[in-house]
Amino acid sequence: MHCHAEQAYPQECCGVLLGLRAGDVREVRAAIPCTNARFDSPETRYSIDPRELVRIQRDAREKGLEIVGFFHSHPDHPARWSPTDLDEAHWIACSYLILSVEQGRVAAASSFVLIGTREEDKALVDEALVVG
Ligand SMILES: [Zn+2]
């Protein structure tokens, strides 16, 4: 994931986190890099091709995993979500991991979980990121 973010710099990279759920905990087993489908402004936006997402989801099911989150990078910006990130986050109870890439190197990572029940009341809140 770090490599992918650094290679994509100064553009945003993005991808899907596959894993398992146990209650409110999401355990990530694999990070699948995706092509950033935002050709108009890949430095500040990202999107994942829905067809690629469907393929990843199908592959994950075959391995007994599910989509537990998404990641993307912020080239030369902090690892905090932007209003656009919230607008474009639609997977309730999934993690949104943001990597800050400064001068081509990953400098920080933060994770947020999308809470709420629908588009109108959704919110991104900080969550603990445990590596190990
Ligand atoms: Zn973002």
Side-chain angles (χ1 to χ4, degrees), residues 12 44 46 72-74 80-82 85 98:
E12 288 197 11
T44 53
Y46 78 101
H72 73 284
S73 62
H74 279 179
R80 302 292 309 177
W81 56 270
S82 65
D85 288 336
I98 299 175

Side-chain angles (χ1 to χ4, degrees), residues 22-115:
D24 286 341
V25 177
R26 286 163 295 284
E27 185 184 333
V28 177
R29 292 290 176 85
I32 312 294
C34 294
T35 305
N36 186 349
R38 285 295 295 249
F39 298 111
D40 52 340
S41 51
E43 292 82 12
T44 53
R45 296 290 177 83
Y46 78 101
S47 77
I48 297 170
D49 186 327
R51 285 163 302 184
E52 192 170 13
L53 198 54
V54 166
R55 184 178 53 73
I56 290 168
Q57 193 166 28
R58 195 175 50 223
D59 289 351
R61 279 206 198 103
E62 284 171 11
K63 296 184 183 105
L65 300 174
E66 60 177 308
I67 293 176
V68 294
F70 300 89
F71 68 90
H72 73 284
S73 62
H74 279 179
D76 297 317
H77 281 87
R80 302 292 309 177
W81 56 270
S82 65
T84 309
D85 288 336
L86 178 59
D87 278 351
E88 295 180 355
H90 305 297
W91 290 57
I92 301 290
C94 273
S95 293
Y96 285 81
L97 178 74
I98 299 175
L99 296 165
S100 168
V101 184
E102 286 173 16
Q103 311 287 332
R105 292 267 156 221
V106 172
S110 309
S111 191
F112 309 91
V113 58
L114 187 67
I115 60 162

